Every structure is written in C-alpha cells, then in structure tokens.
C-alpha cells in the first residue's frame, strides 16, 4: 500500500489499508471512517479509497470473557469477585479480574483440589481472568476401614451386606449402610 506521508496526506484514489490492534486485555469495538463503520472489516483490519479528507477512529474497550462456575458434589465452592459471590452458571467479567476461591466440604467428604481450565489461570486460591475460564472444586468421599473378625465356622456365620464375612479389613465410603 501507499504510506501516509509525514503530514498525514495520501493521494486521491489511493486504497488505504487500516489495521487496529488492541493491546493485551482490550478488544476493538469499532473502526470508523467519518463516523461510519469501515466496511469489510475482518480481523481488525479493512481498507477504503481516499476521496477527500477523512477522519479515522478506532475504539477499544476492556475485553470481557466468560467465567463458568460449576457445582460440586460433596461440598460448596464459593467464587468471589471482590465482595460479590458468583452463583453457579456463566458470567461475563473484564480482563484482569481476580477471583478468590474458597471451599467447604460437606460431612463425609474432603476437599481434593480446584479444577480450573485453563490451569494457567489458577495461582493458589486465586484465578485471574485473561480468557474464558471454567472453575470447579473436587471433593472426594471419605473412606473408613471396617475390621471384621469372623467367628469360627462351627460357632456360626457373620454376614455383611448379604455376603459371608471373612476376617480382615474392608474400606467403605462414608454413609454406606452395613446390614
């Protein structure tokens, strides 16, 4: 293309290619020539033919991304944007927003880890929004050992959940009913 000279002058009839490149964390919201949208804008660039003096304007805004907060079995995940707790579902938040994560396991469960995609967004218990992100917490059920001492076969039998018990240890999940 033809470069613009030091005074900002381009010869009449020249096709001028324009590219608007947002800084990190920003998005192009409009690219206009004399207040009208530049036609044929694709990937933040377009072109037009010079037919007189023009005013070119690019408008950038902070980029917004989707944050998806999941629900967790076995506990409660709290995701806070400042003092505001985000409910499970999707939210639109500005680039650079820092979220704080907390968790609370319900009875019989233990917190295992935060599951954040992409993982690079997570640092300790904080998530920084720099792209679309999904946040969950993983809780695992507690397991408990039951030690059985089976009676001598001549004395009788012991059954646990319908099965003949044998001497030894068996692990059961929290809440398992033994009959």
């Amino acid at each position: 293309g033809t470069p613009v000279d030091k005074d900002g002058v381009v010869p009449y009839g020249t096709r001028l290619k324009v590219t608007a490149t947002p800084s990190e964390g920003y998005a192009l919201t409009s690219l206009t020539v004399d207040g009208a949208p530049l036609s044929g804008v694709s990937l933040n660039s377009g072109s037009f033919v010079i037919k007189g003096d023009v005013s070119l304007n690019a408008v950038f805004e902070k980029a917004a991304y989707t944050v998806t907060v999941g629900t967790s079995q076995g506990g409660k995940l709290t995701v806070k944007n400042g003092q505001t707790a985000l409910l499970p579902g999707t939210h639109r938040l500005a680039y650079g927003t820092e979220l704080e994560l907390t968790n609370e396991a319900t009875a019989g469960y233990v917190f295992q880890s935060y599951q954040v995609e992409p993982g690079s967004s997570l640092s300790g218990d904080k998530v920084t929004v720099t792209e679309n992100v999904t946040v969950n917490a993983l809780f695992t059920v507690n397991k408990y050992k039951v030690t059985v001492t089976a009676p001598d076969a001549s004395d009788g039998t012991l059954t646990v959940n319908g099965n003949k018990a044998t001497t030894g240890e068996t692990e059961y999940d929290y809440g398992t009913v033994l009959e």
Side-chain angles (χ1 to χ4, degrees):
T2 304
V4 176
D5 75 13
K6 65 181 171 107
D7 296 321
V9 176
V10 177
Y12 178 88
T14 300
R15 177 166 292 282
L16 190 63
K17 181 179 180 189
V18 178
T19 302
T21 305
S23 296
E24 183 177 349
Y26 286 82
L28 177 68
T29 58
S30 72
L31 186 55
T32 60
V33 175
D34 290 336
L38 182 59
S39 61
V41 174
S42 173
L43 297 175
N44 300 341
S45 67
S47 63
F48 63 98
V49 176
I50 299 295
K51 296 181 181 174
D53 290 340
V54 296
S55 175
L56 180 63
N57 189 34
V59 177
F60 300 95
E61 289 182 355
K62 261 221 181 217
Y65 295 99
T66 300
V67 174
T68 304
V69 177
T71 57
S72 302
Q73 179 180 357
K76 178 182 176 185
L77 167 66
T78 301
V79 178
K80 282 191 172 182
N81 177 10
Q83 295 301 311
T84 304
L86 303 180
L87 297 174
T90 58
H91 308 271
R92 294 287 290 170
L93 298 175
Y95 176 92
T97 300
E98 186 174 89
L99 304 173
E100 183 178 349
L101 310 180
T102 57
N103 66 79
E104 183 180 337
T106 55
Y109 287 81
V110 64
F111 172 72
Q112 192 72 35
S113 64
Y114 293 116
Q115 296 178 314
V116 178
E117 289 297 329
S120 60
S121 301
L122 178 65
S123 177
D125 62 352
K126 305 247 188 283
V127 170
T128 302
V129 177
T130 58
E131 58 190 311
N132 293 336
V133 65
T134 300
V135 181
N136 279 302
L138 176 63
F139 297 91
T140 55
V141 67
N142 288 330
K143 293 189 177 288
Y144 296 96
K145 292 180 183 174
V146 175
T147 303
V148 173
T149 303
D152 186 286
S154 62
D155 294 341
T157 59
L158 174 65
T159 59
V160 178
N161 287 349
N163 298 314
K164 183 177 177 185
T166 57
T167 298
E169 286 184 352
T170 304
E171 281 193 349
Y172 294 95
D173 288 349
Y174 172 85
T176 300
V177 175
L178 301 179
E179 300 175 342

